[in-house]
Amino acid sequence: MAQIKNKILFPNLNRNPEDEFPKQRVPDYLISEVEKLIKLHGDLKLFVDWKTGASVTASQFIEDAYKIASQFKRRACRPGDVIPCLIQSDVNYFSFLLATWISGCVLSPLQHSFSQELLIKLIRSSHSRLLLCDVESAERCRAIKTECPELEEVFVLGNFEGCTPFDRLLDDEAFPRDELKRSEPYDPDETLSMVFSSGTTGEPKGVLLTQQNIYSYLLTARPKANRPGMRTLFVPRIGNVMGLVFGLRDVLIYSTTYLMPTYKDDWLFDAIEQTKPERALLYLPQILAITKHPKSETSNLSSIEAVFTAGMSISKDLQRKLFLKLPSLKTFFMFYGMTEFAGGTMRPFHDYEENDHRLEELRKNHKLKPDSVGHLWPMSLMKVVDENTGEILGPNQKGELCFKGPSKFKGYWNNPEAMADIEKDGWIHTGDIGYYDDDGDVFYVQRSKELIKYLGHHVIPSVLEAILKSHPAVEDAAVVGIKSEEYGELPMAFVTKKPGHDELEAGRLVKFLHDRVRDESFLRGGLVFIEEIPRNAMGKIIRQQLRDRAELEFQKASSLC
């Protein structure tokens, strides 16, 4: 049970985990820990491509990192240089990551969903000289190089004309470690990574993560069931915090991590049967596949003991279905947070079988509340504030969830205005509405921000609204999300027509939008014509009013099907 003091929620701990952070750079700590593990358990395969069998052992992980860091030095990379990467997943990624940190550079994972114009803008603004990509994105990156004079070299995982093969980074011997060791004293506030988070205004922001941030992710909330030699199936999105950190947490428990560089539902079941993982990092699409796909009836999924997920709240009903499909599943870990404050809450959902005698015991001990997003991360503080007055609210009062702690990000890249909006008096304001109860369990209610999440993808209403309003017959438009148990939220549009365009049909306008956006931004909630988009005195859309109407319109349409 958490502690509540002056309406502030504190984790129920008798120690301060932050005091236990090593007083050394993260790469130095990782290398020393891995070398200890090699002596204790032998040279384990740390990363394996489940489909090709390509692998990186623990000793190779370190050796390759030093070779790559040496190549950075030969290319005159300096501490603070931003080195972006645009890849889905690869067994060599974490050696590249470690090399970047050894060199004092800033790793910046980019996302394949970014437009070409945005990628060019981000690489120009960060003055990046080197870039890592996969074959899938190589053509885009080669074109970026022609647009960005400062980008001197593009490394590709594989072979692609006009790009330097990644293997060239491993050709030469590494410099002695003393030559690569940095002389500056350890600084917990030193930036290690810049991870991009989709905002609500249509422009992703670079979230700066420090040594302290990374330690707060790596060294807290480690399940006691972890043990060396475990196997983990990782369906990653390298461009987010989970993709950045989860693989490194696996390194520290000395687990073999099986990566899926590309994903298909059928392959998920093949990968589970072939690798027999005890642990799996899955997102909503994979959880839905396990509960619904025909192969779930015939595949052997009995190896999985723990599932980890983030980015989307998983309903109680879906949790139950997952436990039924995975006969050995003991714990389902769901994390709530944001890129700017990844360690918000964490909760393990235990076996939901009604006849399980543990269920009532867990409820009595306040450990199991199906609608809760969990307890506080071990080092986080939380408060709930009134959105309008800023007043701190007590238990069971709904308001904006705010967090403070060592996982709080350093700031936004070249965007002090956005930082001022999200951080106030040291507290991160999430834009999410929720509350905590008398036991300190945290509950998420709804998103105050505009952002819509469909299957974990960020759908930005303002982008869709701009496209809709570009149609010659459209006067105004607003897009909101409809809650969906299976998909998170479904985008739905409200549109007003210009005078003299009564003939405009919803189907034609939907096609107009769909021809210009990616699949995840499709209007799966529908499109409705209305007389006027509700706006406040400042001209801002009153989205809650539209959300309420959207639920009614969607229910009405569903009843007619």
Side-chain angles (χ1 to χ4, degrees), residues 21-90:
F21 287 0
K23 300 302 185 285
Q24 62 181 144
R25 288 189 174 87
V26 171
D28 296 335
Y29 170 76
L30 287 170
I31 290 167
S32 65
E33 289 299 302
V34 171
E35 289 179 337
K36 292 176 188 175
L37 290 165
I38 292 172
K39 289 180 180 179
L40 285 172
H41 306 287
D43 196 9
L44 182 77
K45 288 183 179 179
L46 288 184
F47 303 104
V48 180
D49 185 314
W50 80 276
K51 203 165 182 63
T52 67
S55 64
V56 171
T57 66
S59 61
Q60 187 182 351
F61 167 62
I62 297 173
E63 181 183 348
D64 287 354
Y66 277 117
K67 286 183 177 181
I68 297 168
S70 299
Q71 294 289 4
F72 290 162
K73 185 172 182 177
R74 292 184 179 102
R75 288 165 171 78
C77 291
R78 301 176 300 274
D81 284 358
V82 176
I83 301 181
C85 59
L86 185 62
I87 65 173
Q88 293 284 6
S89 177
D90 190 272

Side-chain angles (χ1 to χ4, degrees), residues 478 480 494 530 534 541-550:
V480 296
F494 290 91
I530 58 176
I541 298 170
I542 306 174
R543 294 189 183 274
Q544 187 55 53
Q545 185 175 327
L546 288 177
R547 289 189 190 101
D548 293 341
R549 178 164 179 177

Side-chain angles (χ1 to χ4, degrees), residues 300-551:
N300 182 358
L301 310 178
S302 62
S303 67
I304 298 178
E305 300 174 6
V307 168
F308 301 79
T309 193
M312 183 76 67
S313 180
I314 306 299
S315 70
K316 180 177 73 172
D317 183 58
L318 193 53
Q319 295 163 30
R320 289 180 182 273
K321 291 177 181 177
L322 186 67
F323 273 94
L324 290 173
K325 292 290 186 178
L326 302 178
S328 300
L329 186 62
K330 298 174 182 176
T331 312
F332 176 59
F333 288 92
M334 187 169 74
F335 298 88
Y336 165 78
M338 57 195 304
T339 307
E340 293 86 343
F341 195 91
T345 69
M346 181 199 76
R347 71 152 306 158
F349 293 92
H350 296 276
D351 196 329
Y352 274 133
E353 285 297 318
E354 292 292 350
N355 60 1
D356 191 332
H357 69 277
R358 291 174 294 169
L359 185 65
E360 192 57 38
E361 180 183 348
L362 289 166
R363 282 177 175 154
K364 286 179 180 178
N365 292 330
H366 306 297
K367 294 180 181 177
L368 179 62
K369 293 179 181 176
D371 297 325
S372 168
V373 294
H375 302 293
L376 279 178
W377 192 260
M379 291 176 293
S380 300
L381 278 67
M382 193 193 87
K383 66 179 179 179
V384 179
V385 301
D386 184 283
E387 284 189 284
N388 297 315
T389 67
E391 175 192 358
I392 302 177
L393 306 175
N396 303 302
Q397 292 181 286
K398 295 177 184 178
E400 184 179 17
L401 302 178
C402 303
F403 292 92
K404 178 188 284 189
S407 68
K408 177 173 69 70
F409 77 127
K410 182 177 181 178
Y412 289 121
W413 175 264
N414 291 337
N415 199 338
E417 296 82 6
M419 185 64 183
D421 287 340
I422 194 173
E423 185 187 29
K424 299 169 186 175
D425 299 323
W427 290 87
I428 294 297
H429 288 244
T430 65
D432 289 338
I433 304 302
Y435 65 97
Y436 62 91
D437 64 13
D438 294 320
D439 297 320
D441 290 310
V442 181
F443 295 80
Y444 166 84
V445 177
Q446 67 182 30
R447 186 172 294 104
S448 177
K449 295 181 178 181
E450 298 177 356
L451 193 66
I452 298 168
K453 281 192 175 181
Y454 169 74
L455 281 178
H457 295 284
H458 289 178
V459 179
I460 304 169
S462 59
V463 172
L464 306 189
E465 290 159 3
I467 294 172
L468 289 169
K469 286 189 282 188
S470 72
H471 191 284
V474 172
E475 181 72 29
D476 200 1
V479 177
V480 296
I482 304 169
K483 288 183 180 179
S484 167
E485 181 174 287
E486 292 186 351
Y487 302 102
E489 292 176 307
L490 302 175
M492 182 176 189
F494 290 91
V495 173
T496 61
K497 302 176 184 179
K498 287 182 178 178
H501 290 276
D502 292 341
E503 77 284 356
L504 178 62
E505 297 174 352
R508 286 169 50 200
L509 187 54
V510 167
K511 185 178 185 306
F512 174 83
L513 175 71
H514 289 187
D515 287 344
R516 291 162 174 79
V517 298
R518 296 170 65 92
D519 177 81
E520 60 263 25
S521 297
F522 284 6
L523 295 176
R524 289 178 167 83
L527 184 149
V528 176
F529 291 115
I530 58 176
E531 291 297 320
E532 184 179 13
I533 302 294
R535 296 178 180 271
N536 64 15
M538 298 177 64
K540 293 184 178 181
I541 298 170
I542 306 174
R543 294 189 183 274
Q544 187 55 53
Q545 185 175 327
L546 288 177
R547 289 189 190 101
D548 293 341
R549 178 164 179 177
E551 295 290 342

Side-chain angles (χ1 to χ4, degrees), residues 72-246:
F72 290 162
K73 185 172 182 177
R74 292 184 179 102
R75 288 165 171 78
C77 291
R78 301 176 300 274
D81 284 358
V82 176
I83 301 181
C85 59
L86 185 62
I87 65 173
Q88 293 284 6
S89 177
D90 190 272
V91 294
N92 295 293
Y93 168 73
F94 291 98
S95 294
F96 189 88
L97 176 156
L98 184 59
T100 305
W101 291 353
I102 289 171
S103 304
C105 298
V106 177
L107 181 78
S108 181
L110 304 175
Q111 300 175 27
H112 283 72
S113 60
F114 288 173
S115 69
Q116 191 75 350
E117 293 75 16
L118 178 59
L119 289 173
I120 291 171
K121 177 181 178 181
L122 295 177
I123 290 170
R124 277 178 176 165
S125 65
S126 62
H127 306 289
S128 298
R129 296 170 48 233
L130 308 177
L131 183 152
L132 175 69
C133 69
D134 51 23
V135 172
E136 179 185 348
S137 59
E139 187 170 351
R140 297 180 71 188
C141 293
R142 187 177 61 183
I144 290 170
K145 186 172 181 290
T146 64
E147 298 285 337
C148 302
E150 289 187 46
L151 185 60
E152 299 171 3
E153 198 166 10
V154 174
F155 297 100
V156 61
L157 290 156
N159 290 284
F160 197 87
E161 186 178 352
C163 301
T164 304
F166 172 83
D167 289 346
R168 296 269 184 87
L169 291 170
L170 306 176
D171 282 347
D172 299 324
E173 290 298 315
F175 292 135
R177 292 191 183 187
D178 287 346
E179 291 188 28
L180 295 172
K181 192 172 182 64
R182 294 173 56 203
S183 59
E184 303 93 336
Y186 167 67
D187 177 9
D189 202 39
E190 178 188 349
T191 301
L192 289 186
S193 292
M194 178 167 64
V195 182
F196 282 89
S197 173
S198 295
T200 60
T201 61
E203 185 75 3
K205 297 183 286 290
V207 178
L208 302 179
L209 302 179
T210 66
Q211 306 250 17
Q212 177 175 264
N213 297 153
I214 300 299
Y215 273 135
S216 71
Y217 306 151
L218 293 180
L219 302 181
T220 57
R222 288 176 285 183
K224 295 179 181 178
N226 288 346
R227 56 190 182 273
M230 295 182 77
R231 296 175 298 275
T232 302
L233 182 64
F234 190 17
V235 184
R237 295 179 182 180
I238 291 297
N240 64 16
V241 171
M242 289 291 280
L244 179 69
V245 173
F246 201 91

